[in-house]
Amino acid sequence: MNISDLAGRLNNVRPKPGGGFTARCPAHEDRENSLSVDAADGGKVLLHCFAGCSAADVCRALGITTGDLSGGNGYRQPAGRPASRRVVAAYSYTDAAGNLLYQVLRYDPKSFCQRRPDGHGGWVYNLTGVERVLYRLPEVLSAVRNGDPVWLVEGEKDADALARLGLAATTNPGGAAKWSDSYTATLSGADVVVLPDNDPAGEQHAAQVAAALHRKARRVRVLRLPDLPRKGDVSDWLAGGGTREELLRLAAEAPDWTPPEEEGESEIAVLRRLADVKPEEVTWLWPGWLPRGKLALLDGDPGLGKSLITLDLAARVSTGMPMPDGSGGGESAGVVLLTAEDDLADTVRPRLDAAGADVSRVVALTAVRRTTETGAEALDTPTLLDLDALREAIREVEAALVVIDPLMAFLPGQVDSHRDQDVRRVLAPLAALAAETAATVLVVRHLSKASVGNPLYRGGGSIGIIGAARAGLVVAKDPEDASG
C-alpha cells in the first residue's frame, strides 16, 4: 500500500510542506489532525500519532496490518516490476431494504478489506458501529419467506456465481470460521444448502454453520460437489461444466445434516406434571404496573414524554423512592439504559439529576467490543442480540430496571420489525434474560400514525411485540390539560 492508497482511507487529509500529509487519527476521537503520514525510501509508509496511538493501533482501526505499510501488502513482485495493488471487485452488503451498509473489496494480488460510507460521499475503511449481515440479504430474506432454498457458500464471488443462475445465494463476511449468531437468526426457518470449499477449513466451516443452524433452520444439507480440485469451490465446479440442473439434482439427493452424536437417537418428550409446580406470586417493581423479571412496553406518540417517564422511573429505582402513585419503593437498585435518541451529557444526566437519581447506580450500555475479521478489537453499537453484554451490565449494578429507548433502534439490521416471527425470535431471549436476572425490561416504542383504534394495536411493528410483553403501558395527553 502506498501513501496515496492510505490517504484514500483517512479523513480530513491535509498536505504538508515538503511532502506527506496530516489526517485525523482513526484510532482515537480526533478533531485536530493528530496523525502525520510520510513516505520513506522504498515506498514504506511512516505513521506518527501525536496523541500517542501506535502504528499498530492506526492500522487496526483501518482494517489493515502494519505489513501493508511496506508498499506491497506482503506480496513480492518479480525483480524489475513495480509493486501494485488494484481493486478487482467490490461486494456490497445491504440491509433488508437494500440500503448499503458496507463493502468488501477484493484486490489483486489477492487480499481483502472492508469499508463503509462516511455519509459525505466518501468511505471509512473499517466497520466500527456497523451491523454485520449476510451477503445479498434482501434475496436471502425473500427466499426464507417463500420457502426457497438458500445456498450458503464461502465467498462473495461464489454467491454471485450462483445468483447468476437464479439461485438465492449468500455468504458471511470474512469467510470461513466467521459465523455469528445473528446470521443464524436470519436463517431461522430457512431451507439451507451448504456448499463447502474442498479443504479442511471449508469442511470445518460447513460443520460449524450446520451445527449452528440445526433445529433452527427448517432444513440443513451439506452438499460436497463431485470432482472438485483441492481448495476448489462452486465457482470452479461451474467453470468445469457444472450446471444449475445438476446442482439442483445433487441437492435433492443430499441427506439432511445430522450431528454425529445424534445419529441413531430418538426424540423423547420431557413432561412436567403441574402438580409438581410450586405456585409463585408475581413480584412487582411498580405494583400493578411493572412486574419484576418480565418484559414490558411503554408506547406513545412522539413528544409526550416517554423518555422523561423512563428516567423518572430510573431515578426512583436507583434511590428506592416510591413510584408515582406512592406504591413500591424501599431498597435501591441499579438501572441499565440503552438510549439512542437522547445525548447522555446534555439530556439524560441533567434529567436524572433533576429527578434526584443516584447516578452512581445508573449505567448506559453504549457499545459492545467485538473482534473483527482481521483479529482486531472494535467497538460496535449494541443490539438486542447482545445478551451477554446486557447480562454483564445488569450484574455490574445489580439492576432491577433495564430501559431500551426506543425498541427499533436496537433491533438487529436483519430483523423485519413487521414480521411476527422475526420480532419474537429477538424478544423471546430478551424476556428469558429478564426472568433470569429478575430485572424489569421496559421497552419504549413509538405509536404508528393511525389516529383511531386500540392504542395497543397502534404500536410500531408487528403485533408480536406487544404479544411478547407481560405488561403494556400507553402514554397519552391528559384530557383535562387545556394546554394540549
Side-chain angles (χ1 to χ4, degrees):
M1 176 180 296
N2 59 37
I3 192 169
S4 298
D5 293 332
L6 192 63
R9 295 173 177 247
L10 295 167
N11 295 324
N12 203 42
V13 173
R14 295 287 184 269
K16 296 191 301 183
F21 59 85
T22 64
R24 290 178 180 168
C25 177
H28 74 279
E29 190 68 28
D30 188 8
R31 299 182 181 181
E32 299 180 353
N33 273 31
S34 299
L35 183 66
S36 175
V37 182
D38 294 283
D41 294 340
K44 183 177 179 63
V45 179
L46 302 178
L47 304 178
H48 178 72
C49 175
F50 289 95
C53 302
S54 68
D57 293 333
V58 175
C59 289
R60 276 194 295 270
L62 293 172
I64 61 177
T65 68
T66 53
D68 293 326
L69 302 180
S70 64
N73 195 34
Y75 177 80
R76 294 186 178 274
Q77 294 282 353
R81 290 177 57 186
S84 63
R85 184 172 182 252
R86 63 187 182 91
V87 175
V88 294
Y91 304 109
S92 295
Y93 284 72
T94 72
D95 63 16
N99 302 308
L100 179 65
L101 296 175
Y102 57 92
Q103 286 185 334
V104 172
L105 300 183
R106 181 187 179 108
Y107 291 90
D108 179 31
K110 186 178 179 181
S111 62
F112 298 88
C113 80
Q114 298 154 333
R115 67 183 184 183
R116 55 185 168 92
D118 65 1
H120 305 287
W123 300 96
V124 177
Y125 283 78
N126 62 57
L127 297 188
T128 302
V130 179
E131 177 71 21
R132 274 54 159 191
V133 298
L134 291 175
Y135 186 50
R136 308 183 70 94
L137 181 62
E139 295 94 325
V140 170
L141 295 176
S142 177
V144 175
R145 286 193 295 269
N146 297 332
D148 299 328
V150 176
W151 302 77
L152 186 59
V153 293
E154 207 175 296
E156 295 89 358
K157 175 174 67 74
D158 294 339
D160 286 347
L162 292 180
R164 288 191 289 270
L165 300 180
L167 303 174
T170 189
T171 189
N172 56 280
K178 301 295 184 181
W179 192 257
S180 114
D181 290 343
S182 65
Y183 310 146
T184 299
T186 300
L187 296 176
S188 177
D191 178 0
V192 181
V193 181
V194 183
L195 297 172
D197 288 1
N198 187 25
D199 57 24
E203 284 294 328
Q204 183 177 0
H205 181 61
Q208 177 192 7
V209 170
L213 293 173
H214 183 56
R215 294 185 175 173
K216 295 180 178 65
R218 175 166 58 89
R219 186 180 185 190
V220 181
R221 288 167 282 175
V222 176
L223 174 56
R224 296 170 179 85
L225 295 171
D227 303 321
L228 271 185
R230 178 171 173 76
K231 297 184 177 296
D233 52 35
V234 67
S235 295
D236 298 317
W237 184 80
L238 292 171
T243 64
R244 182 180 191 274
E245 292 70 24
E246 178 69 3
L247 189 62
L248 294 175
R249 182 187 66 79
L250 291 170
E253 295 174 353
D256 287 4
W257 184 86
T258 304
E261 64 272 15
E262 290 191 3
E263 293 179 0
E265 292 184 1
S266 60
E267 294 183 356
I268 301 175
V270 177
L271 305 176
R272 188 177 181 190
R273 194 176 300 276
L274 267 293
D276 299 328
V277 177
K278 181 181 179 180
E280 295 180 354
E281 292 186 359
V282 174
T283 58
W284 297 90
L285 182 69
W286 180 1
W289 294 87
L290 294 177
R292 289 289 300 265
K294 306 294 182 184
L295 186 65
L297 280 183
L298 179 66
D299 290 339
D301 288 318
L304 292 184
K306 297 186 297 298
S307 297
L308 197 62
I309 291 171
T310 61
L311 293 178
D312 178 74
L313 291 173
R316 295 173 186 274
V317 171
S318 70
T319 59
M321 289 188 294
M323 290 297 164
D325 60 358
S327 65
E331 187 176 352
S332 61
V335 179
V336 177
L337 303 177
L338 282 78
T339 178
E341 295 187 341
D342 293 319
D343 186 88
L344 295 180
D346 63 26
T347 302
V348 175
R349 174 64 190 270
R351 286 180 173 178
L352 288 171
D353 288 342
D358 178 356
V359 291
S360 69
R361 307 211 65 172
V362 183
V363 296
L365 179 56
T366 59
V368 293
R369 194 177 301 277
R370 306 189 197 280
T371 302
T372 69
E373 285 79 2
T374 64
E377 287 191 344
L379 296 180
D380 209 351
T381 302
T383 75
L384 298 189
L385 291 178
D386 293 312
L387 296 182
D388 287 341
L390 184 54
R391 181 182 291 107
E392 180 182 349
I394 292 171
R395 290 175 177 170
E396 175 69 22
V397 293
E398 297 180 341
L401 175 65
V402 176
V403 176
I404 299 171
D405 183 11
L407 168 65
M408 300 305 174
F410 296 99
L411 286 177
Q414 71 273 20
V415 170
D416 183 345
S417 64
H418 295 279
R419 290 190 69 220
D420 186 82
Q421 183 182 22
D422 275 19
V423 297
R424 288 183 183 273
R425 191 166 59 239
V426 174
L427 294 182
L430 183 63
L433 178 62
E436 173 193 333
T437 60
T440 299
V441 178
L442 182 59
V443 178
V444 177
R445 183 174 61 154
H446 297 311
L447 292 176
S448 65
K449 294 182 179 180
S451 59
V452 296
N454 188 331
L456 291 180
Y457 293 90
R458 285 184 52 211
S462 164
I463 190 63
I465 296 174
I466 185 64
R470 181 64 179 268
L473 286 68
V474 179
V475 179
K477 292 181 179 179
D478 184 348
E480 299 181 0
D481 184 357
S483 65

